[in-house]
């Protein structure tokens, strides 16, 4: 199993450009998450999904959109990138079985918006 | 809303020595889980240890153990016999126990700001 993978690993955008980050998991997990990590702020939840076809907002959703068309994929979109979106983005997934579910993280995507 | 506080931005320990990283949290819930994640320079988030709030016994994983003080809302991580490979950012995280109702928000993690651990020879 590859676990949780993210594409791309690095990206540089100009202000106003758009892009999509792809998260894929091969563990058949129901729940998937997108976090952003900024210096001195830990990880903050952007959006999450509790299953195929569902999405919901997290703590910092503004400027992002997501889609979960397939169970194994969770896409994060930036329609018009801003310098404030320069960050490292992490995807995670978890299987809601039992009470001790663990979130598995992808390797992260470093995004720079100039 | 729950908050997680890590008051030590940086810590240093000599190889083979013991170090304790602090974490406090604030919640009105009685059912929750606490985690320590390690993030090495590779950026990969690695689960180190997990504690269920309903368990009185402190969790232990090899050289890693926690001191869970539920009344004080404190959850510190002790690393014994520190190794060079332990150098990383360490994040404390909280998750609500409401996941039994299979709600996505209950499964989300709330992170602290992290502690950077340096291991010296």
């Amino acid at each position: 199993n590859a676990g949780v993978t993210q594409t791309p690993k690095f990206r540089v955008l100009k202000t106003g450009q758009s892009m999509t980050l792809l998260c894929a998991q091969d563990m058949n997990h129901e729940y998937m998450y997108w976090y952003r990590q900024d210096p001195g702020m830990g990880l903050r939840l952007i959006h999450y999904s509790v299953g195929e076809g569902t999405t919901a907002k997290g703590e910092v959703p503004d400027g992002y959109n997501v889609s979960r068309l397939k169970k194994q994929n969770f896409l994060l979109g930036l329609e018009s990138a801003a310098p404030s979106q320069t960050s490292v983005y992490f995807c995670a997934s978890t299987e809601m079985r039992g009470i001790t579910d663990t979130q598995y993280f992808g390797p992260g995507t470093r995004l720079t918006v100039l | 809303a729950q908050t997680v506080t890590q008051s030590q931005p940086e810590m240093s320990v000599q190889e083979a020595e013991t170090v304790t990283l602090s974490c406090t949290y604030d919640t009105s819930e009685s059912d929750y889980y606490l985690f320590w994640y390690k993030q090495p320079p590779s950026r990969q988030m690695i689960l180190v240890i997990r504690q269920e709030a309903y368990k009185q016994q402190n969790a232990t994983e090899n050289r890693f153990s926690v001191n869970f003080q539920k009344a004080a809302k404190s959850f510190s991580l002790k690393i014994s016999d520190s190794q060079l490979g332990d150098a990383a950012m360490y994040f404390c995280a909280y998750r609500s126990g409401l996941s039994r109702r299979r709600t996505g928000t209950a499964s989300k993690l709330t992170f602290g700001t992290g502690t950077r651990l340096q291991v010296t020879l």
Side-chain angles (χ1 to χ4, degrees):
Chain A
N1 286 352
V4 180
T5 58
Q6 292 182 230
T7 307
K9 290 186 170 52
F10 302 93
R11 185 72 185 268
V12 178
L13 290 179
K14 294 181 179 179
T15 297
Q17 287 184 318
S18 63
M19 79 162 294
T20 300
L21 281 66
L22 170 64
C23 175
Q25 51 94 5
D26 59 3
M27 297 173 283
N28 202 35
H29 286 172
E30 290 289 339
Y31 288 17
M32 298 186 73
Y33 309 81
W34 275 107
Y35 293 88
R36 62 177 287 173
Q37 183 180 25
D38 301 297
M41 298 191 73
L43 278 73
R44 293 180 294 166
L45 183 65
I46 305 171
H47 285 281
Y48 65 96
S49 169
V50 302
E52 182 178 324
T54 72
T55 62
K57 294 180 179 180
E59 303 170 58
V60 288
D62 294 342
Y64 305 95
N65 56 76
V66 289
S67 64
R68 183 95 180 269
L69 299 179
K70 295 181 179 180
K71 186 177 182 178
Q72 64 268 33
N73 295 337
F74 194 29
L75 279 62
L76 178 71
L78 287 73
E79 290 187 349
S80 180
S84 62
Q85 294 177 305
T86 294
S87 188
V88 179
Y89 292 86
F90 286 94
C91 177
S93 71
T94 187
E95 178 185 38
M96 291 306 296
R97 179 175 298 176
I99 60 175
T100 57
D101 59 286
T102 296
Q103 286 200 13
Y104 295 88
F105 285 83
T109 295
R110 182 177 292 279
L111 174 66
T112 301
V113 182
L114 302 175
Chain B
Q2 295 78 29
T3 59
V4 177
T5 302
Q6 293 179 250
S7 59
Q8 306 157 315
E10 291 189 9
M11 292 283 285
S12 182
V13 63
Q14 282 191 324
E15 198 177 17
E17 296 296 310
T18 297
V19 65
T20 299
L21 309 184
S22 300
C23 173
T24 59
Y25 58 95
D26 189 25
T27 183
S28 59
E29 299 172 337
S30 59
D31 180 23
Y32 52 87
Y33 300 84
L34 297 165
F35 305 83
W36 278 98
Y37 278 87
K38 171 185 178 181
Q39 187 180 42
S42 66
R43 293 204 311 255
Q44 184 71 49
M45 295 289 286
I46 303 166
L47 178 65
V48 174
I49 199 165
R50 170 179 53 220
Q51 174 78 43
E52 292 86 350
Y54 63 85
K55 289 186 177 179
Q56 292 185 336
Q57 186 174 5
N58 289 327
T60 299
E61 288 287 345
N62 300 316
R63 297 183 294 107
F64 299 88
S65 62
V66 299
N67 183 6
F68 174 48
Q69 302 289 329
K70 191 171 184 179
K73 296 180 181 175
S74 171
F75 182 60
S76 60
L77 174 70
K78 185 171 82 171
I79 306 174
S80 304
D81 187 25
S82 297
Q83 301 174 0
L84 294 177
D86 295 334
M89 282 288 288
Y90 286 82
F91 291 95
C92 179
Y94 172 103
R95 180 176 73 74
S96 169
L98 292 176
S99 62
R100 291 172 187 169
R101 302 179 196 169
R102 305 181 72 82
T103 57
T105 50
S107 183
K108 79 175 186 72
L109 293 170
T110 300
F111 286 87
T113 53
T115 296
R116 183 174 300 281
L117 178 66
Q118 293 183 327
V119 181
T120 59
L121 294 172

